[in-house]
Amino acid sequence: MENENGRSSHHSHKTKSDLLTRLNRIEGQVRGIKGLIEKDTYCDDVLNQIAAVQSALNSVGKLLLTQHMKTCVVERIQEGDHEVIEELMKTMGKLMK
C-alpha cells in the first residue's frame, strides 16, 4: 500500500503475517481491557493489562523498525536519498516518547 509519498513497504510474507498476528492479539487485549473497565475491575489489574498492551505494541514497533531499516532505509540511502535519515530520526523520536 502506497502512502502520500508514493512509497510502499517491503515486508516479506512472513513478516507481514507476524505483524498481523501480533496486532490481532493486541486488538483482543484492548477489547479485554475495555471489558475489565465495564466490569469495574480493580484498577491495578487494569493497569497491568495496559502495560502488557504497551509492551506488545513496542515489540511490534521494534520488529517493524528493524525491517524498515534493513530494507527501505538502506534502499533509499543507496539511491542517494539521505533525507530518509532525518525521517527515521523523527520517527524514532516518536517511538521513544
Side-chain angles (χ1 to χ4, degrees):
M1 180 176 192
E2 291 187 359
N3 68 9
E4 66 275 1
N5 296 321
R7 295 188 190 105
S8 62
S9 67
H10 296 88
H11 304 303
S12 69
H13 178 70
K14 182 186 179 316
T15 299
K16 188 173 182 176
S17 177
D18 188 21
L19 289 168
L20 291 172
T21 297
R22 290 171 185 234
L23 290 169
N24 285 334
R25 190 175 310 127
I26 291 166
E27 185 178 24
Q29 288 176 294
V30 170
R31 280 194 305 269
I33 292 169
K34 183 179 175 188
L36 294 176
I37 297 291
E38 290 170 345
K39 291 187 247 177
D40 295 320
T41 302
Y42 183 61
C43 295
D44 191 61
D45 295 335
V46 176
L47 291 167
N48 282 312
Q49 290 304 308
I50 290 171
V53 169
Q54 288 172 326
S55 177
L57 278 172
N58 286 339
S59 179
V60 168
K62 287 177 196 172
L63 174 61
L64 193 54
L65 179 61
T66 298
Q67 293 305 313
H68 179 56
M69 291 176 71
K70 288 181 177 180
T71 57
C72 303
V73 173
V74 169
E75 180 181 291
R76 286 180 59 192
I77 289 172
Q78 289 173 341
E79 292 172 353
D81 181 358
H82 296 276
E83 289 178 21
V84 69
I85 295 169
E86 190 61 35
E87 176 187 277
L88 181 61
M89 297 306 294
K90 284 183 191 175
T91 299
M92 290 178 67
K94 291 174 186 176
L95 285 170
M96 293 179 166
K97 279 187 176 181

